[in-house]
Amino acid sequence: MSSVPSNKDELEFAINSIFPKLMADYRSTPESHVRKSGVEGNVKGTLISVSDTVAYLIGWGKLVLKWYRLKSQNQHVDFPETGYKWNQLGLLAESFHDEYRNWKYDDLLIELESTVNEIQLLISSLNDHELYGVAWYEQWTLGRMIQFNTSSPMKNMRTKVRRFNREFT
């Protein structure tokens, strides 16, 4: 199987194979460390907390769901998000960190699970053609847009969180 999913089964597998491992890593992070800065941030040279990485994944997951909802209702979508351009993803990441900063860590994990469940339900409701057979945003298929914002950053965050847990806990 290639590292980049090219059909519905591969997309589901990509998410289902990384997400439980990521959640186990999140759950193994001691509560006393979840707000410590020490995880390599998405903006070069910055350090964020484990909680921030959860907020980041929630933020992107919710954006994917919002994009799909709006597009399926033939409404305009501001990609990546209203007030942000694609070259401002660092600022967008920081907005996710801010949005969830005061959430309890357990609530963040519940929210992440819920968001990923919604994405999995969306994927299961679509067929291969809807996911990979037609351009959905510019040259990208919906399946690629989902993968760019779920399994890919999950793998990235898991590497960073595991490194943090080895070094700081």
Side-chain angles (χ1 to χ4, degrees), residues 96-110:
F96 297 149
H97 304 161
D98 290 343
E99 183 176 348
Y100 294 100
R101 179 145 291 127
N102 298 320
W103 283 46
K104 290 192 184 99
Y105 186 64
D106 286 344
D107 292 340
L108 282 173
L109 296 182
I110 291 165

Side-chain angles (χ1 to χ4, degrees), residues 33-40 46-50 52 101 164 168:
H33 286 71
V34 298
R35 303 267 176 211
K36 279 188 181 169
S37 292
V39 179
E40 181 191 329
T46 62
L47 291 176
I48 60 174
S49 69
V50 171
D52 288 336
R101 179 145 291 127
F164 172 85
F168 296 97

Side-chain angles (χ1 to χ4, degrees), residues 60-112:
W60 278 108
K62 290 198 170 303
L63 272 186
V64 166
L65 294 165
K66 177 182 170 180
W67 296 338
Y68 183 79
R69 186 181 67 251
L70 291 172
K71 268 189 81 105
S72 63
Q73 296 166 351
N74 291 317
Q75 295 184 38
H76 173 74
V77 181
D78 281 328
F79 287 99
E81 175 61 305
T82 305
Y84 297 90
K85 298 192 175 0
W86 286 112
N87 65 356
Q88 297 176 304
L89 297 184
L91 291 172
L92 183 53
E94 288 170 6
S95 79
F96 297 149
H97 304 161
D98 290 343
E99 183 176 348
Y100 294 100
R101 179 145 291 127
N102 298 320
W103 283 46
K104 290 192 184 99
Y105 186 64
D106 286 344
D107 292 340
L108 282 173
L109 296 182
I110 291 165
E111 188 71 8
L112 178 59

Side-chain angles (χ1 to χ4, degrees), residues 15 57-73 77 79-81 100 111-126 136 142 145-146 149-150:
I15 295 170
L57 293 172
I58 294 168
W60 278 108
K62 290 198 170 303
L63 272 186
V64 166
L65 294 165
K66 177 182 170 180
W67 296 338
Y68 183 79
R69 186 181 67 251
L70 291 172
K71 268 189 81 105
S72 63
Q73 296 166 351
V77 181
F79 287 99
E81 175 61 305
Y100 294 100
E111 188 71 8
L112 178 59
E113 281 192 307
S114 164
T115 302
V116 171
N117 286 340
E118 276 188 72
I119 290 167
Q120 289 169 318
L121 285 171
L122 171 62
I123 294 167
S124 68
S125 75
L126 300 168
W136 189 80
L142 175 56
M145 291 297 284
I146 292 171
N149 297 296
T150 57

